[in-house]
């Protein structure tokens, strides 16, 4: 299994966050909303044309921009 960007997940796919890329402020912001290494997430929706993505994290839905989502590395099946 290989790491891939969160944005490559399709609707309903689940994966485990393996790494957060980007500056320290971005990583801190992602962690503050529950997205951190080792966390299981599920892709709820991807809006078209580089729009935001909707994730399920610990039974909560979180919407983040596609740029932020590109900074999240995940592995399926963990």
């Amino acid at each position: 299994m290989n790491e891939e960007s969160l944005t490559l997940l399709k609707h309903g796919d689940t994966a485990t966050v393996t790494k957060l890329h980007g500056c320290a402020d971005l990583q801190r912001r992602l962690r503050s909303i529950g997205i951190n290494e080792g966390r299981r997430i599920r892709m709820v929706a991807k809006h078209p044309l580089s729009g935001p993505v909707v994730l399920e994290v610990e039974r909560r839905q979180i919407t983040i921009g596609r740029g932020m989502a590109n900074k999240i590395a995940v592995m399926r099946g963990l």
Side-chain angles (χ1 to χ4, degrees), residues 6-7 9 43-55 62-70:
L6 169 69
T7 57
L9 297 178
M43 179 66 73
V44 175
K46 285 194 327 189
H47 295 276
L49 303 175
S50 298
V53 300
V54 182
L55 307 171
I62 296 171
T63 302
I64 61 172
R66 193 72 60 111
M68 288 177 84
N70 278 324

Side-chain angles (χ1 to χ4, degrees), residues 12-71:
D13 285 351
T14 59
T16 301
V17 175
T18 55
K19 186 161 186 168
L20 301 177
H21 299 281
C23 69
D25 285 341
L26 174 62
Q27 290 180 26
R28 190 171 22 261
R29 183 167 180 201
L30 289 170
R31 288 185 179 107
S32 75
I33 59 173
I35 300 172
N36 46 352
E37 293 87 345
R39 183 72 49 135
R40 294 283 296 164
I41 58 171
R42 184 175 69 87
M43 179 66 73
V44 175
K46 285 194 327 189
H47 295 276
L49 303 175
S50 298
V53 300
V54 182
L55 307 171
E56 183 177 296
V57 180
E58 292 195 333
R59 295 178 293 231
R60 293 181 303 135
Q61 288 193 357
I62 296 171
T63 302
I64 61 172
R66 193 72 60 111
M68 288 177 84
N70 278 324
K71 304 291 187 191

